[in-house]
Amino acid sequence: VAWSAADTIAALAAWRNEESMYAAMARTQPRNATGPVGLALTRVERGDEAGAWEALASAAAIDSTRYEIPLYRAGILLRRGEAEAARALAVEAGTRVGWNRDARLIEALALQRLGRWPDARVVLNDLRARAPGDPEVAAAWRSQLAGEPPAAHPTRAVPRR
């Protein structure tokens, strides 16, 4: 039994991290978009947006229907300050998958950056109902309350004494 386990362990790829695992998947399964999609996510997480964009292009060439492609692109564009394009891609991702917390959050943040406070409030209400207690949703609400004109929340319109 020990020899069998040793052979199995020796046959497994030595993945240092998720990125090397997804790179191996992309190499060994070139018709599977999961490898490039996973590579894109790991690259986004370490701040390599150009590498992520490249991996997303590879994933799209394999399977352009994956919701993660517009979702991850939306996150990249939002960080670059391209709020309208990010919003459109977030909506596309949500349309592909149905309701998705990350897509809705990117949409809300993009709407805030565009100054479309009433529209952002609608999305945030949906998020708060579907993801109660989510700290990122709570942070977006704080931004909403800080950025909205006072008439949008009359309880704060009157200065406190």
Side-chain angles (χ1 to χ4, degrees), residues 93-131:
T95 300
R96 288 183 186 190
V97 74
W99 191 87
N100 179 275
R101 176 251 186 219
D102 292 338
R104 292 295 277 172
L105 185 58
I106 291 171
E107 180 183 1
L109 295 172
L111 288 166
Q112 287 175 337
R113 290 185 187 174
L114 292 167
R116 293 173 50 187
W117 299 104
D119 295 332
R121 181 176 274 273
V122 170
V123 176
L124 287 170
N125 278 330
D126 176 52
L127 277 164
R128 190 166 55 175
R130 292 180 184 228

PDB file of all heavy atoms in Angstrom, residues 93-131:
ATOM      1  N   ALA A  93     -22.558  39.818 -17.325  1.00  0.00           N
ATOM      2  CA  ALA A  93     -22.236  38.636 -16.513  1.00  0.00           C
ATOM      3  C   ALA A  93     -23.475  38.156 -15.763  1.00  0.00           C
ATOM      4  O   ALA A  93     -23.764  36.954 -15.730  1.00  0.00           O
ATOM      5  CB  ALA A  93     -21.106  38.945 -15.536  1.00  0.00           C
ATOM      6  N   GLY A  94     -24.201  39.089 -15.155  1.00  0.00           N
ATOM      7  CA  GLY A  94     -25.413  38.726 -14.433  1.00  0.00           C
ATOM      8  C   GLY A  94     -26.471  38.124 -15.340  1.00  0.00           C
ATOM      9  O   GLY A  94     -27.170  37.185 -14.958  1.00  0.00           O
ATOM     10  N   THR A  95     -26.566  38.635 -16.549  1.00  0.00           N
ATOM     11  CA  THR A  95     -27.523  38.095 -17.516  1.00  0.00           C
ATOM     12  C   THR A  95     -27.164  36.666 -17.890  1.00  0.00           C
ATOM     13  O   THR A  95     -28.033  35.809 -18.035  1.00  0.00           O
ATOM     14  CB  THR A  95     -27.554  38.977 -18.779  1.00  0.00           C
ATOM     15  OG1 THR A  95     -27.944  40.300 -18.397  1.00  0.00           O
ATOM     16  CG2 THR A  95     -28.525  38.448 -19.815  1.00  0.00           C
ATOM     17  N   ARG A  96     -25.885  36.386 -18.001  1.00  0.00           N
ATOM     18  CA  ARG A  96     -25.442  35.037 -18.377  1.00  0.00           C
ATOM     19  C   ARG A  96     -25.692  34.006 -17.287  1.00  0.00           C
ATOM     20  O   ARG A  96     -25.999  32.860 -17.580  1.00  0.00           O
ATOM     21  CB  ARG A  96     -23.946  35.030 -18.696  1.00  0.00           C
ATOM     22  CG  ARG A  96     -23.596  35.688 -19.987  1.00  0.00           C
ATOM     23  CD  ARG A  96     -22.126  35.567 -20.269  1.00  0.00           C
ATOM     24  NE  ARG A  96     -21.760  36.330 -21.448  1.00  0.00           N
ATOM     25  CZ  ARG A  96     -20.592  36.248 -22.031  1.00  0.00           C
ATOM     26  NH1 ARG A  96     -19.644  35.455 -21.541  1.00  0.00           N
ATOM     27  NH2 ARG A  96     -20.326  36.974 -23.094  1.00  0.00           N
ATOM     28  N   VAL A  97     -25.524  34.398 -16.033  1.00  0.00           N
ATOM     29  CA  VAL A  97     -25.544  33.419 -14.942  1.00  0.00           C
ATOM     30  C   VAL A  97     -26.815  33.497 -14.096  1.00  0.00           C
ATOM     31  O   VAL A  97     -27.078  32.619 -13.302  1.00  0.00           O
ATOM     32  CB  VAL A  97     -24.289  33.563 -14.061  1.00  0.00           C
ATOM     33  CG1 VAL A  97     -24.361  34.789 -13.195  1.00  0.00           C
ATOM     34  CG2 VAL A  97     -24.036  32.335 -13.238  1.00  0.00           C
ATOM     35  N   GLY A  98     -27.589  34.529 -14.260  1.00  0.00           N
ATOM     36  CA  GLY A  98     -28.685  34.777 -13.329  1.00  0.00           C
ATOM     37  C   GLY A  98     -28.128  35.691 -12.242  1.00  0.00           C
ATOM     38  O   GLY A  98     -27.120  36.355 -12.446  1.00  0.00           O
ATOM     39  N   TRP A  99     -28.723  35.710 -11.080  1.00  0.00           N
ATOM     40  CA  TRP A  99     -28.245  36.624 -10.046  1.00  0.00           C
ATOM     41  C   TRP A  99     -26.862  36.213  -9.584  1.00  0.00           C
ATOM     42  O   TRP A  99     -26.591  35.048  -9.320  1.00  0.00           O
ATOM     43  CB  TRP A  99     -29.209  36.634  -8.865  1.00  0.00           C
ATOM     44  CG  TRP A  99     -28.915  37.733  -7.920  1.00  0.00           C
ATOM     45  CD1 TRP A  99     -29.392  39.007  -8.012  1.00  0.00           C
ATOM     46  CD2 TRP A  99     -28.071  37.690  -6.766  1.00  0.00           C
ATOM     47  NE1 TRP A  99     -28.896  39.747  -6.977  1.00  0.00           N
ATOM     48  CE2 TRP A  99     -28.080  38.981  -6.186  1.00  0.00           C
ATOM     49  CE3 TRP A  99     -27.316  36.713  -6.161  1.00  0.00           C
ATOM     50  CZ2 TRP A  99     -27.376  39.304  -5.046  1.00  0.00           C
ATOM     51  CZ3 TRP A  99     -26.599  37.023  -5.024  1.00  0.00           C
ATOM     52  CH2 TRP A  99     -26.637  38.317  -4.479  1.00  0.00           C
ATOM     53  N   ASN A 100     -25.964  37.204  -9.485  1.00  0.00           N
ATOM     54  CA  ASN A 100     -24.600  36.947  -9.017  1.00  0.00           C
ATOM     55  C   ASN A 100     -24.175  38.106  -8.146  1.00  0.00           C
ATOM     56  O   ASN A 100     -24.202  39.262  -8.579  1.00  0.00           O
ATOM     57  CB  ASN A 100     -23.653  36.780 -10.206  1.00  0.00           C
ATOM     58  CG  ASN A 100     -22.227  36.538  -9.781  1.00  0.00           C
ATOM     59  OD1 ASN A 100     -21.493  37.480  -9.515  1.00  0.00           O
ATOM     60  ND2 ASN A 100     -21.831  35.286  -9.719  1.00  0.00           N
ATOM     61  N   ARG A 101     -23.774  37.813  -6.937  1.00  0.00           N
ATOM     62  CA  ARG A 101     -23.407  38.845  -5.961  1.00  0.00           C
ATOM     63  C   ARG A 101     -22.288  39.742  -6.471  1.00  0.00           C
ATOM     64  O   ARG A 101     -22.360  40.962  -6.377  1.00  0.00           O
ATOM     65  CB  ARG A 101     -23.022  38.168  -4.643  1.00  0.00           C
ATOM     66  CG  ARG A 101     -22.526  39.115  -3.577  1.00  0.00           C
ATOM     67  CD  ARG A 101     -21.040  38.874  -3.426  1.00  0.00           C
ATOM     68  NE  ARG A 101     -20.479  39.638  -2.339  1.00  0.00           N
ATOM     69  CZ  ARG A 101     -19.289  40.199  -2.424  1.00  0.00           C
ATOM     70  NH1 ARG A 101     -18.553  40.083  -3.487  1.00  0.00           N
ATOM     71  NH2 ARG A 101     -18.804  40.869  -1.411  1.00  0.00           N
ATOM     72  N   ASP A 102     -21.239  39.163  -7.037  1.00  0.00           N
ATOM     73  CA  ASP A 102     -20.106  39.971  -7.491  1.00  0.00           C
ATOM     74  C   ASP A 102     -20.500  40.874  -8.657  1.00  0.00           C
ATOM     75  O   ASP A 102     -20.090  42.033  -8.705  1.00  0.00           O
ATOM     76  CB  ASP A 102     -18.931  39.079  -7.890  1.00  0.00           C
ATOM     77  CG  ASP A 102     -18.319  38.360  -6.700  1.00  0.00           C
ATOM     78  OD1 ASP A 102     -18.487  38.833  -5.558  1.00  0.00           O
ATOM     79  OD2 ASP A 102     -17.682  37.315  -6.913  1.00  0.00           O
ATOM     80  N   ALA A 103     -21.302  40.348  -9.584  1.00  0.00           N
ATOM     81  CA  ALA A 103     -21.746  41.164 -10.720  1.00  0.00           C
ATOM     82  C   ALA A 103     -22.593  42.337 -10.234  1.00  0.00           C
ATOM     83  O   ALA A 103     -22.419  43.476 -10.693  1.00  0.00           O
ATOM     84  CB  ALA A 103     -22.522  40.308 -11.710  1.00  0.00           C
ATOM     85  N   ARG A 104     -23.495  42.076  -9.308  1.00  0.00           N
ATOM     86  CA  ARG A 104     -24.353  43.154  -8.795  1.00  0.00           C
ATOM     87  C   ARG A 104     -23.538  44.182  -8.012  1.00  0.00           C
ATOM     88  O   ARG A 104     -23.802  45.383  -8.094  1.00  0.00           O
ATOM     89  CB  ARG A 104     -25.464  42.572  -7.913  1.00  0.00           C
ATOM     90  CG  ARG A 104     -26.480  41.749  -8.661  1.00  0.00           C
ATOM     91  CD  ARG A 104     -27.277  42.549  -9.653  1.00  0.00           C
ATOM     92  NE  ARG A 104     -28.386  43.218  -8.980  1.00  0.00           N
ATOM     93  CZ  ARG A 104     -29.176  44.121  -9.545  1.00  0.00           C
ATOM     94  NH1 ARG A 104     -28.987  44.489 -10.786  1.00  0.00           N
ATOM     95  NH2 ARG A 104     -30.144  44.675  -8.866  1.00  0.00           N
ATOM     96  N   LEU A 105     -22.549  43.725  -7.250  1.00  0.00           N
ATOM     97  CA  LEU A 105     -21.729  44.655  -6.484  1.00  0.00           C
ATOM     98  C   LEU A 105     -20.914  45.553  -7.417  1.00  0.00           C
ATOM     99  O   LEU A 105     -20.839  46.768  -7.214  1.00  0.00           O
ATOM    100  CB  LEU A 105     -20.819  43.906  -5.520  1.00  0.00           C
ATOM    101  CG  LEU A 105     -19.993  44.774  -4.570  1.00  0.00           C
ATOM    102  CD1 LEU A 105     -20.882  45.686  -3.716  1.00  0.00           C
ATOM    103  CD2 LEU A 105     -19.140  43.888  -3.669  1.00  0.00           C
ATOM    104  N   ILE A 106     -20.317  44.974  -8.445  1.00  0.00           N
ATOM    105  CA  ILE A 106     -19.572  45.789  -9.419  1.00  0.00           C
ATOM    106  C   ILE A 106     -20.513  46.776 -10.094  1.00  0.00           C
ATOM    107  O   ILE A 106     -20.166  47.948 -10.288  1.00  0.00           O
ATOM    108  CB  ILE A 106     -18.851  44.893 -10.445  1.00  0.00           C
ATOM    109  CG1 ILE A 106     -17.705  44.135  -9.771  1.00  0.00           C
ATOM    110  CG2 ILE A 106     -18.330  45.736 -11.623  1.00  0.00           C
ATOM    111  CD1 ILE A 106     -17.074  43.062 -10.640  1.00  0.00           C
ATOM    112  N   GLU A 107     -21.717  46.319 -10.432  1.00  0.00           N
ATOM    113  CA  GLU A 107     -22.694  47.222 -11.042  1.00  0.00           C
ATOM    114  C   GLU A 107     -23.011  48.395 -10.112  1.00  0.00           C
ATOM    115  O   GLU A 107     -23.026  49.556 -10.540  1.00  0.00           O
ATOM    116  CB  GLU A 107     -23.974  46.440 -11.376  1.00  0.00           C
ATOM    117  CG  GLU A 107     -25.040  47.291 -12.016  1.00  0.00           C
ATOM    118  CD  GLU A 107     -26.338  46.528 -12.268  1.00  0.00           C
ATOM    119  OE1 GLU A 107     -26.426  45.325 -11.936  1.00  0.00           O
ATOM    120  OE2 GLU A 107     -27.265  47.157 -12.788  1.00  0.00           O
ATOM    121  N   ALA A 108     -23.253  48.108  -8.833  1.00  0.00           N
ATOM    122  CA  ALA A 108     -23.565  49.171  -7.870  1.00  0.00           C
ATOM    123  C   ALA A 108     -22.407  50.152  -7.732  1.00  0.00           C
ATOM    124  O   ALA A 108     -22.605  51.373  -7.739  1.00  0.00           O
ATOM    125  CB  ALA A 108     -23.906  48.562  -6.508  1.00  0.00           C
ATOM    126  N   LEU A 109     -21.185  49.634  -7.613  1.00  0.00           N
ATOM    127  CA  LEU A 109     -20.016  50.508  -7.464  1.00  0.00           C
ATOM    128  C   LEU A 109     -19.801  51.354  -8.705  1.00  0.00           C
ATOM    129  O   LEU A 109     -19.451  52.542  -8.612  1.00  0.00           O
ATOM    130  CB  LEU A 109     -18.773  49.669  -7.160  1.00  0.00           C
ATOM    131  CG  LEU A 109     -18.797  48.918  -5.823  1.00  0.00           C
ATOM    132  CD1 LEU A 109     -17.612  47.963  -5.734  1.00  0.00           C
ATOM    133  CD2 LEU A 109     -18.835  49.874  -4.649  1.00  0.00           C
ATOM    134  N   ALA A 110     -20.022  50.767  -9.876  1.00  0.00           N
ATOM    135  CA  ALA A 110     -19.887  51.530 -11.123  1.00  0.00           C
ATOM    136  C   ALA A 110     -20.929  52.644 -11.184  1.00  0.00           C
ATOM    137  O   ALA A 110     -20.615  53.781 -11.559  1.00  0.00           O
ATOM    138  CB  ALA A 110     -20.008  50.595 -12.320  1.00  0.00           C
ATOM    139  N   LEU A 111     -22.154  52.315 -10.802  1.00  0.00           N
ATOM    140  CA  LEU A 111     -23.207  53.341 -10.801  1.00  0.00           C
ATOM    141  C   LEU A 111     -22.868  54.473  -9.838  1.00  0.00           C
ATOM    142  O   LEU A 111     -23.102  55.647 -10.139  1.00  0.00           O
ATOM    143  CB  LEU A 111     -24.553  52.706 -10.450  1.00  0.00           C
ATOM    144  CG  LEU A 111     -25.158  51.823 -11.540  1.00  0.00           C
ATOM    145  CD1 LEU A 111     -26.294  50.970 -10.976  1.00  0.00           C
ATOM    146  CD2 LEU A 111     -25.637  52.665 -12.717  1.00  0.00           C
ATOM    147  N   GLN A 112     -22.313  54.143  -8.688  1.00  0.00           N
ATOM    148  CA  GLN A 112     -21.895  55.181  -7.745  1.00  0.00           C
ATOM    149  C   GLN A 112     -20.836  56.074  -8.382  1.00  0.00           C
ATOM    150  O   GLN A 112     -20.901  57.298  -8.278  1.00  0.00           O
ATOM    151  CB  GLN A 112     -21.352  54.559  -6.464  1.00  0.00           C
ATOM    152  CG  GLN A 112     -22.409  53.948  -5.585  1.00  0.00           C
ATOM    153  CD  GLN A 112     -21.823  53.247  -4.381  1.00  0.00           C
ATOM    154  OE1 GLN A 112     -20.665  52.837  -4.376  1.00  0.00           O
ATOM    155  NE2 GLN A 112     -22.632  53.080  -3.336  1.00  0.00           N
ATOM    156  N   ARG A 113     -19.856  55.481  -9.021  1.00  0.00           N
ATOM    157  CA  ARG A 113     -18.783  56.275  -9.636  1.00  0.00           C
ATOM    158  C   ARG A 113     -19.296  57.147 -10.760  1.00  0.00           C
ATOM    159  O   ARG A 113     -18.720  58.187 -11.053  1.00  0.00           O
ATOM    160  CB  ARG A 113     -17.667  55.365 -10.123  1.00  0.00           C
ATOM    161  CG  ARG A 113     -16.934  54.760  -8.940  1.00  0.00           C
ATOM    162  CD  ARG A 113     -15.764  53.949  -9.336  1.00  0.00           C
ATOM    163  NE  ARG A 113     -15.223  53.284  -8.151  1.00  0.00           N
ATOM    164  CZ  ARG A 113     -14.260  52.407  -8.180  1.00  0.00           C
ATOM    165  NH1 ARG A 113     -13.705  52.080  -9.327  1.00  0.00           N
ATOM    166  NH2 ARG A 113     -13.847  51.851  -7.071  1.00  0.00           N
ATOM    167  N   LEU A 114     -20.389  56.708 -11.389  1.00  0.00           N
ATOM    168  CA  LEU A 114     -20.997  57.508 -12.455  1.00  0.00           C
ATOM    169  C   LEU A 114     -21.938  58.579 -11.892  1.00  0.00           C
ATOM    170  O   LEU A 114     -22.501  59.362 -12.649  1.00  0.00           O
ATOM    171  CB  LEU A 114     -21.769  56.588 -13.407  1.00  0.00           C
ATOM    172  CG  LEU A 114     -20.907  55.641 -14.240  1.00  0.00           C
ATOM    173  CD1 LEU A 114     -21.768  54.567 -14.891  1.00  0.00           C
ATOM    174  CD2 LEU A 114     -20.121  56.426 -15.288  1.00  0.00           C
ATOM    175  N   GLY A 115     -22.105  58.590 -10.562  1.00  0.00           N
ATOM    176  CA  GLY A 115     -23.002  59.563  -9.939  1.00  0.00           C
ATOM    177  C   GLY A 115     -24.472  59.214 -10.105  1.00  0.00           C
ATOM    178  O   GLY A 115     -25.337  60.052  -9.886  1.00  0.00           O
ATOM    179  N   ARG A 116     -24.763  57.999 -10.458  1.00  0.00           N
ATOM    180  CA  ARG A 116     -26.143  57.549 -10.655  1.00  0.00           C
ATOM    181  C   ARG A 116     -26.646  56.920  -9.352  1.00  0.00           C
ATOM    182  O   ARG A 116     -26.901  55.739  -9.248  1.00  0.00           O
ATOM    183  CB  ARG A 116     -26.209  56.586 -11.839  1.00  0.00           C
ATOM    184  CG  ARG A 116     -25.892  57.300 -13.151  1.00  0.00           C
ATOM    185  CD  ARG A 116     -25.774  56.391 -14.348  1.00  0.00           C
ATOM    186  NE  ARG A 116     -26.891  55.481 -14.485  1.00  0.00           N
ATOM    187  CZ  ARG A 116     -26.924  54.508 -15.393  1.00  0.00           C
ATOM    188  NH1 ARG A 116     -25.928  54.339 -16.226  1.00  0.00           N
ATOM    189  NH2 ARG A 116     -27.967  53.711 -15.467  1.00  0.00           N
ATOM    190  N   TRP A 117     -26.772  57.789  -8.338  1.00  0.00           N
ATOM    191  CA  TRP A 117     -27.091  57.349  -6.982  1.00  0.00           C
ATOM    192  C   TRP A 117     -28.422  56.621  -6.861  1.00  0.00           C
ATOM    193  O   TRP A 117     -28.489  55.590  -6.179  1.00  0.00           O
ATOM    194  CB  TRP A 117     -27.009  58.537  -6.025  1.00  0.00           C
ATOM    195  CG  TRP A 117     -25.636  59.127  -6.005  1.00  0.00           C
ATOM    196  CD1 TRP A 117     -25.238  60.293  -6.602  1.00  0.00           C
ATOM    197  CD2 TRP A 117     -24.462  58.569  -5.409  1.00  0.00           C
ATOM    198  NE1 TRP A 117     -23.881  60.489  -6.402  1.00  0.00           N
ATOM    199  CE2 TRP A 117     -23.386  59.444  -5.670  1.00  0.00           C
ATOM    200  CE3 TRP A 117     -24.213  57.410  -4.684  1.00  0.00           C
ATOM    201  CZ2 TRP A 117     -22.095  59.212  -5.222  1.00  0.00           C
ATOM    202  CZ3 TRP A 117     -22.926  57.167  -4.237  1.00  0.00           C
ATOM    203  CH2 TRP A 117     -21.884  58.073  -4.505  1.00  0.00           C
ATOM    204  N   PRO A 118     -29.503  57.097  -7.489  1.00  0.00           N
ATOM    205  CA  PRO A 118     -30.773  56.351  -7.359  1.00  0.00           C
ATOM    206  C   PRO A 118     -30.678  54.938  -7.950  1.00  0.00           C
ATOM    207  O   PRO A 118     -31.212  53.988  -7.378  1.00  0.00           O
ATOM    208  CB  PRO A 118     -31.778  57.209  -8.137  1.00  0.00           C
ATOM    209  CG  PRO A 118     -31.183  58.591  -8.112  1.00  0.00           C
ATOM    210  CD  PRO A 118     -29.690  58.386  -8.173  1.00  0.00           C
ATOM    211  N   ASP A 119     -29.999  54.800  -9.078  1.00  0.00           N
ATOM    212  CA  ASP A 119     -29.842  53.477  -9.689  1.00  0.00           C
ATOM    213  C   ASP A 119     -28.979  52.574  -8.804  1.00  0.00           C
ATOM    214  O   ASP A 119     -29.262  51.382  -8.639  1.00  0.00           O
ATOM    215  CB  ASP A 119     -29.204  53.590 -11.079  1.00  0.00           C
ATOM    216  CG  ASP A 119     -30.095  54.326 -12.071  1.00  0.00           C
ATOM    217  OD1 ASP A 119     -31.327  54.293 -11.911  1.00  0.00           O
ATOM    218  OD2 ASP A 119     -29.543  54.950 -13.001  1.00  0.00           O
ATOM    219  N   ALA A 120     -27.926  53.138  -8.229  1.00  0.00           N
ATOM    220  CA  ALA A 120     -27.063  52.367  -7.334  1.00  0.00           C
ATOM    221  C   ALA A 120     -27.845  51.900  -6.113  1.00  0.00           C
ATOM    222  O   ALA A 120     -27.673  50.773  -5.641  1.00  0.00           O
ATOM    223  CB  ALA A 120     -25.854  53.200  -6.910  1.00  0.00           C
ATOM    224  N   ARG A 121     -28.721  52.750  -5.609  1.00  0.00           N
ATOM    225  CA  ARG A 121     -29.527  52.398  -4.433  1.00  0.00           C
ATOM    226  C   ARG A 121     -30.403  51.180  -4.713  1.00  0.00           C
ATOM    227  O   ARG A 121     -30.526  50.290  -3.868  1.00  0.00           O
ATOM    228  CB  ARG A 121     -30.380  53.599  -4.010  1.00  0.00           C
ATOM    229  CG  ARG A 121     -31.236  53.336  -2.788  1.00  0.00           C
ATOM    230  CD  ARG A 121     -31.977  54.593  -2.372  1.00  0.00           C
ATOM    231  NE  ARG A 121     -31.153  55.410  -1.509  1.00  0.00           N
ATOM    232  CZ  ARG A 121     -31.094  55.265  -0.191  1.00  0.00           C
ATOM    233  NH1 ARG A 121     -31.797  54.333   0.405  1.00  0.00           N
ATOM    234  NH2 ARG A 121     -30.334  56.051   0.528  1.00  0.00           N
ATOM    235  N   VAL A 122     -30.988  51.113  -5.901  1.00  0.00           N
ATOM    236  CA  VAL A 122     -31.832  49.960  -6.264  1.00  0.00           C
ATOM    237  C   VAL A 122     -31.005  48.671  -6.237  1.00  0.00           C
ATOM    238  O   VAL A 122     -31.426  47.656  -5.682  1.00  0.00           O
ATOM    239  CB  VAL A 122     -32.472  50.179  -7.654  1.00  0.00           C
ATOM    240  CG1 VAL A 122     -33.141  48.902  -8.162  1.00  0.00           C
ATOM    241  CG2 VAL A 122     -33.467  51.324  -7.611  1.00  0.00           C
ATOM    242  N   VAL A 123     -29.815  48.719  -6.815  1.00  0.00           N
ATOM    243  CA  VAL A 123     -28.950  47.536  -6.849  1.00  0.00           C
ATOM    244  C   VAL A 123     -28.505  47.173  -5.432  1.00  0.00           C
ATOM    245  O   VAL A 123     -28.495  45.994  -5.049  1.00  0.00           O
ATOM    246  CB  VAL A 123     -27.737  47.773  -7.774  1.00  0.00           C
ATOM    247  CG1 VAL A 123     -26.786  46.587  -7.745  1.00  0.00           C
ATOM    248  CG2 VAL A 123     -28.202  48.036  -9.205  1.00  0.00           C
ATOM    249  N   LEU A 124     -28.166  48.170  -4.637  1.00  0.00           N
ATOM    250  CA  LEU A 124     -27.734  47.910  -3.263  1.00  0.00           C
ATOM    251  C   LEU A 124     -28.863  47.336  -2.407  1.00  0.00           C
ATOM    252  O   LEU A 124     -28.617  46.487  -1.550  1.00  0.00           O
ATOM    253  CB  LEU A 124     -27.164  49.172  -2.629  1.00  0.00           C
ATOM    254  CG  LEU A 124     -25.786  49.566  -3.163  1.00  0.00           C
ATOM    255  CD1 LEU A 124     -25.408  50.960  -2.675  1.00  0.00           C
ATOM    256  CD2 LEU A 124     -24.738  48.546  -2.758  1.00  0.00           C
ATOM    257  N   ASN A 125     -30.091  47.793  -2.638  1.00  0.00           N
ATOM    258  CA  ASN A 125     -31.227  47.203  -1.915  1.00  0.00           C
ATOM    259  C   ASN A 125     -31.352  45.719  -2.236  1.00  0.00           C
ATOM    260  O   ASN A 125     -31.595  44.899  -1.348  1.00  0.00           O
ATOM    261  CB  ASN A 125     -32.533  47.933  -2.262  1.00  0.00           C
ATOM    262  CG  ASN A 125     -32.711  49.202  -1.467  1.00  0.00           C
ATOM    263  OD1 ASN A 125     -32.249  49.317  -0.335  1.00  0.00           O
ATOM    264  ND2 ASN A 125     -33.367  50.184  -2.065  1.00  0.00           N
ATOM    265  N   ASP A 126     -31.169  45.372  -3.508  1.00  0.00           N
ATOM    266  CA  ASP A 126     -31.202  43.962  -3.916  1.00  0.00           C
ATOM    267  C   ASP A 126     -30.075  43.185  -3.234  1.00  0.00           C
ATOM    268  O   ASP A 126     -30.291  42.097  -2.707  1.00  0.00           O
ATOM    269  CB  ASP A 126     -31.084  43.871  -5.444  1.00  0.00           C
ATOM    270  CG  ASP A 126     -31.021  42.445  -5.947  1.00  0.00           C
ATOM    271  OD1 ASP A 126     -31.894  41.630  -5.577  1.00  0.00           O
ATOM    272  OD2 ASP A 126     -30.093  42.132  -6.725  1.00  0.00           O
ATOM    273  N   LEU A 127     -28.883  43.751  -3.243  1.00  0.00           N
ATOM    274  CA  LEU A 127     -27.741  43.091  -2.603  1.00  0.00           C
ATOM    275  C   LEU A 127     -27.961  42.908  -1.111  1.00  0.00           C
ATOM    276  O   LEU A 127     -27.666  41.852  -0.549  1.00  0.00           O
ATOM    277  CB  LEU A 127     -26.467  43.901  -2.832  1.00  0.00           C
ATOM    278  CG  LEU A 127     -25.758  43.668  -4.154  1.00  0.00           C
ATOM    279  CD1 LEU A 127     -24.766  44.795  -4.429  1.00  0.00           C
ATOM    280  CD2 LEU A 127     -25.053  42.331  -4.138  1.00  0.00           C
ATOM    281  N   ARG A 128     -28.452  43.941  -0.463  1.00  0.00           N
ATOM    282  CA  ARG A 128     -28.663  43.853   0.985  1.00  0.00           C
ATOM    283  C   ARG A 128     -29.689  42.776   1.324  1.00  0.00           C
ATOM    284  O   ARG A 128     -29.536  42.057   2.302  1.00  0.00           O
ATOM    285  CB  ARG A 128     -29.094  45.209   1.533  1.00  0.00           C
ATOM    286  CG  ARG A 128     -29.094  45.249   3.044  1.00  0.00           C
ATOM    287  CD  ARG A 128     -29.179  46.618   3.597  1.00  0.00           C
ATOM    288  NE  ARG A 128     -30.330  47.342   3.086  1.00  0.00           N
ATOM    289  CZ  ARG A 128     -30.690  48.550   3.484  1.00  0.00           C
ATOM    290  NH1 ARG A 128     -29.971  49.172   4.394  1.00  0.00           N
ATOM    291  NH2 ARG A 128     -31.727  49.153   2.977  1.00  0.00           N
ATOM    292  N   ALA A 129     -30.707  42.628   0.471  1.00  0.00           N
ATOM    293  CA  ALA A 129     -31.734  41.610   0.708  1.00  0.00           C
ATOM    294  C   ALA A 129     -31.201  40.203   0.463  1.00  0.00           C
ATOM    295  O   ALA A 129     -31.525  39.273   1.196  1.00  0.00           O
ATOM    296  CB  ALA A 129     -32.946  41.877  -0.190  1.00  0.00           C
ATOM    297  N   ARG A 130     -30.352  40.060  -0.543  1.00  0.00           N
ATOM    298  CA  ARG A 130     -29.882  38.724  -0.924  1.00  0.00           C
ATOM    299  C   ARG A 130     -28.564  38.325  -0.255  1.00  0.00           C
ATOM    300  O   ARG A 130     -28.232  37.144  -0.216  1.00  0.00           O
ATOM    301  CB  ARG A 130     -29.716  38.644  -2.432  1.00  0.00           C
ATOM    302  CG  ARG A 130     -31.026  38.714  -3.185  1.00  0.00           C
ATOM    303  CD  ARG A 130     -30.743  38.624  -4.664  1.00  0.00           C
ATOM    304  NE  ARG A 130     -31.915  38.768  -5.466  1.00  0.00           N
ATOM    305  CZ  ARG A 130     -32.224  37.947  -6.456  1.00  0.00           C
ATOM    306  NH1 ARG A 130     -31.445  36.931  -6.753  1.00  0.00           N
ATOM    307  NH2 ARG A 130     -33.305  38.160  -7.170  1.00  0.00           N
ATOM    308  N   ALA A 131     -27.808  39.300   0.208  1.00  0.00           N
ATOM    309  CA  ALA A 131     -26.525  39.006   0.858  1.00  0.00           C
ATOM    310  C   ALA A 131     -26.430  39.773   2.168  1.00  0.00           C
ATOM    311  O   ALA A 131     -25.544  40.612   2.357  1.00  0.00           O
ATOM    312  CB  ALA A 131     -25.367  39.367  -0.076  1.00  0.00           C
TER     313      ALA A 131
END
